[in-house]
Amino acid sequence: MTKLLSCSEIKELDSKTIENKEITSLDLMSDAVLAIEKWIINNYKKNQKFSIICGNGNNGADGILLSCKLMLRNYKIKTYYIKEVGSTEFNHQFNYAKSIGLNLEKIDFDNLKSIEFSGVIIDCIFGVGLNREIKGKYLKLINFVNSLKKKIISIDTPSGISADTYFSSSHIISNKVLTFHVPKLTFFFSEYLDKIKNVEILDIGLDNSEYKRMEGVGELIDINIIAKKYKSRKKTIHKGDCGHALLFAGSEGKYGASILCGKSLFRSGAGLLTFLCDEKMKEFIYKSLPEAMTYDIITKDNFSISSKIKKYRVIGIGPGLGMSKRVIENFKMILNEANYPVVVDADGLNILSKDKNLFKKLPKESILTPHVGEFKRFAGNFENSNEKIILQRRISIKYGLNIVLKGPYTTMTDSKGNLYINTSGNSGLATAGSGDVLTGIITGLLAQNYTPFNAMISGVFLHGLSADIAVKKSHVNSLIASDITENLSSAFKALEKLITPN
């Protein structure tokens, strides 16, 4: 389990470690710098030149101490600082550096070009506790460093990026980030995805028992977590045990979306599938997905679907559905009759956006799977990732829903508003039908009696993992939605390898 911590929790973890291990803050800083020093020794030869830029907080103190250690190991070091006085730890390390003869050069903000940045730049200007947008002379410095086009290593976080809050796009653009204990929430923000590269986690001896007790601001979903949720099939199982799902999807011109959804539903392990559909769609389904059944309820003028709805374990709604008057009427009727969670995507979400009172009728623990545009239509606009996460949490709590907000590092919130970030997937998923496949996977897992939460996180991870497997055989540019479905079996095999002894 990888919990992401807020700035205040990071400070608390440091304090608890100091208290429990009966060490000082300087001892903890020494452990952190030792981990950085070891990494540099393992990755660079002695003839490598380093320019280390230090702020006057604890991140800068790390930089000063690192300079001392590298100098004593005969690395070629140039160390620059912003101010002579800063945090208690900075003052201590600054004085120590002077006492051992380290050459410290103060940055002249009026003449930055006079600074001789040589070799690899190590960024220790600001740490994770930053609580404001970068402006003035500091912005000038950051822009200048970025303009040098040199290799940059940032310590803990690229300067300008906080641990848990987006402030602005002004920050050091690093080639490598050496961060402590766990990644930071902001590393998964869309604003930074193309700018934060090659993050490596360093163990600096923080108290893991205290870390586990912390609430955190989010949790990363990886294959180890999903393997624990996986349900292996028993040898005596039959198709009825694997669940019967209902799909309300597809309309003229969009039948393909329903087929993609249905195929992935079967590939995820569901035993039976019935489509609610019209006569035209029936013929298409029989040719494209002969394993499925159909029910023509939406073509009737007078009907009661209460008994029909109750025979299923789950209903998937939305892919290629359209928004005709008849579709909306049936959508409302399903919400009135379903006494179990439903999965809503695409046009199902658009119907909800048109009539937000329908949110109150969604069965508790239902799963919504919007992309950003669909999310904005029912949740409202947001300016940055902070606001997006706040909105997502708020709606999940208000209506008791699980929400999958699709995108790079898909964010998921459960009905209590807890945040989860998916770690599988690649840019090839930005292709037509990808979301229809995801709806099918999640619906298929629900049919097999996965809890809504487990179906959500497992479905999203398997969807991404299947895409990761697919691109190993081709290229992200060539990925199509059908490739995701066709590689689901390999994704399940990857899970089984973790839970089945060799």
Side-chain angles (χ1 to χ4, degrees):
M1 176 183 68
T2 302
K3 274 190 293 190
L4 306 174
L5 304 180
S6 66
C7 288
S8 60
E9 286 174 322
I10 292 170
K11 290 178 182 179
E12 182 184 354
L13 181 57
D14 286 350
S15 297
K16 289 291 185 182
T17 300
I18 290 167
E19 178 183 338
N20 295 342
K21 291 190 174 184
E22 297 182 344
I23 59 176
T24 68
S25 61
L26 291 172
D27 292 329
L28 183 60
M29 181 170 287
S30 181
D31 290 340
V33 173
L34 178 62
I36 302 167
E37 179 189 11
K38 286 180 178 178
W39 186 91
I40 289 175
I41 291 170
N42 289 334
N43 288 275
Y44 290 100
K45 295 180 180 179
K46 288 288 181 69
N47 61 354
Q48 178 62 57
K49 295 179 180 179
F50 291 98
S51 295
I52 304 178
I53 317 171
C54 305
N56 64 331
N58 283 5
N59 196 247
D62 288 340
I64 297 290
L65 182 57
L66 177 63
S67 299
C68 296
K69 288 183 176 293
L70 293 180
M71 182 192 75
L72 295 174
R73 288 189 174 273
N74 297 316
Y75 281 92
K76 298 176 181 179
I77 305 296
K78 282 184 173 290
T79 306
Y80 300 94
Y81 67 95
I82 292 173
K83 293 180 180 179
E84 293 88 348
V85 178
S87 68
T88 301
E89 289 78 6
F90 174 83
N91 294 339
H92 176 90
Q93 305 299 3
F94 190 84
N95 292 330
Y96 169 68
K98 282 189 170 182
S99 72
I100 64 170
L102 177 70
N103 183 35
L104 297 163
E105 298 184 34
K106 189 171 185 179
I107 292 174
D108 181 358
F109 285 96
D110 294 324
N111 190 19
L112 292 176
K113 291 183 178 180
S114 66
I115 303 173
E116 296 180 18
F117 286 120
S118 58
V120 175
I121 296 174
I122 298 181
D123 158 37
C124 298
I125 305 171
F126 296 113
V128 295
L130 184 76
N131 58 7
R132 64 191 183 280
E133 182 179 351
I134 303 296
K135 295 181 179 179
K137 63 182 183 180
Y138 300 112
L139 177 59
K140 183 179 177 183
L141 173 63
I142 284 175
N143 288 339
F144 176 70
V145 172
N146 288 336
S147 73
L148 297 174
K149 305 299 181 183
K150 290 181 174 287
K151 185 167 186 178
I152 302 174
I153 300 172
S154 287
I155 303 305
D156 211 10
T157 185
S159 289
I161 297 178
S162 164
D164 58 8
T165 307
Y166 174 79
F167 290 108
S168 75
S169 59
S170 303
H171 59 85
I172 290 290
I173 300 175
S174 315
N175 302 95
K176 186 81 178 182
V177 179
L178 302 177
T179 198
F180 304 136
H181 199 69
V182 291
K184 309 306 182 261
L185 175 63
T186 46
F187 293 180
F188 304 94
F189 282 5
S190 60
E191 293 89 347
Y192 301 134
L193 288 187
D194 290 327
K195 297 176 181 177
I196 294 184
K197 304 170 184 176
N198 301 318
V199 176
E200 192 162 333
I201 312 299
L202 300 183
D203 181 2
I204 62 171
L206 295 174
D207 193 316
N208 207 44
S209 61
E210 293 290 348
Y211 166 71
K212 289 179 179 179
R213 279 195 283 269
M214 291 182 167
E215 183 178 348
V217 290
E219 183 175 339
L220 298 184
I221 299 299
D222 59 27
I223 194 168
N224 295 304
I225 291 173
I226 300 307
K228 292 176 183 177
K229 310 293 184 185
Y230 174 64
K231 293 185 177 184
S232 299
R233 283 197 175 190
K234 297 178 181 178
K235 291 182 179 180
T236 57
I237 203 167
H238 60 79
K239 63 185 179 184
D241 296 328
C242 295
H244 192 169
L246 183 68
L247 274 184
F248 187 30
S251 61
E252 191 166 3
K254 301 179 181 179
Y255 293 145
S258 59
I259 297 302
L260 285 169
C261 187
K263 281 186 177 180
S264 62
L265 189 150
F266 272 128
R267 291 289 189 190
S268 68
L272 296 161
L273 166 62
T274 294
F275 281 92
L276 282 175
C277 59
D278 58 23
E279 290 297 328
K280 288 183 179 180
M281 185 169 165
K282 275 186 183 182
E283 184 178 351
F284 187 83
I285 290 170
Y286 295 152
K287 290 180 179 179
S288 305
L289 193 59
E291 298 89 348
M293 297 175 284
T294 62
Y295 187 67
D296 62 357
I297 185 171
I298 64 170
T299 66
K300 298 179 180 179
D301 292 324
N302 299 303
F303 50 78
S304 172
I305 62 173
S306 178
S307 60
K308 191 69 178 174
I309 294 298
K310 287 181 170 57
K311 69 178 285 188
Y312 301 99
R313 288 185 183 172
V314 61
I315 303 176
I317 306 170
L321 187 59
M323 294 182 64
S324 69
K325 182 179 179 182
R326 180 61 59 85
V327 163
I328 293 172
E329 288 174 355
N330 279 274
F331 179 80
K332 291 178 179 179
M333 190 169 295
I334 289 171
L335 296 191
N336 285 332
E337 297 294 341
N339 58 0
Y340 46 77
V342 298
V343 182
V344 186
D345 184 35
D347 284 325
L349 297 169
N350 292 331
I351 294 170
L352 288 172
S353 299
K354 292 285 186 180
D355 185 357
K356 293 186 176 61
N357 289 323
L358 293 176
F359 273 91
K360 299 174 184 176
K361 294 188 176 183
L362 285 166
K364 298 298 182 186
E365 298 297 332
S366 288
I367 303 170
L368 309 187
T369 61
H371 56 58
V372 171
E374 290 164 340
F375 181 74
K376 285 183 175 181
R377 282 197 282 276
F378 68 74
N381 288 324
F382 53 85
E383 295 297 325
N384 52 53
S385 291
N386 301 329
E387 294 180 8
K388 181 191 76 172
I389 290 170
I390 290 170
L391 278 174
Q392 190 174 347
R393 290 183 192 271
R394 185 182 299 159
I395 294 170
S396 281
I397 294 170
K398 183 176 181 178
Y399 298 107
L401 302 172
N402 300 282
I403 298 178
V404 176
L405 184 41
K406 297 177 292 194
Y409 292 117
T410 290
T411 56
M412 298 166 279
T413 42
D414 63 17
S415 57
K416 296 180 181 177
N418 297 311
L419 177 70
Y420 303 87
I421 299 175
N422 185 52
T423 58
S424 65
N426 55 73
S427 59
L429 287 168
T431 186
S434 174
D436 305 322
V437 172
L438 176 61
T439 298
I441 297 171
I442 294 174
T443 305
L445 294 175
L446 272 173
Q448 296 168 77
N449 276 335
Y450 280 73
T451 65
F453 172 74
N454 287 343
M456 173 178 69
I457 63 170
S458 298
V460 171
F461 187 85
L462 285 166
H463 180 258
L465 179 59
S466 298
D468 289 338
I469 294 168
V471 298
K472 289 179 181 178
K473 305 171 186 177
S474 57
H475 189 271
V476 289
N477 290 5
S478 301
L479 186 75
I480 60 174
S482 298
D483 296 332
I484 306 167
T485 303
E486 295 307 316
N487 284 281
L488 265 172
S489 59
S490 297
F492 280 115
K493 286 179 182 178
L495 294 185
E496 288 184 332
K497 284 182 180 178
L498 294 178
I499 60 178
T500 305
N502 294 328

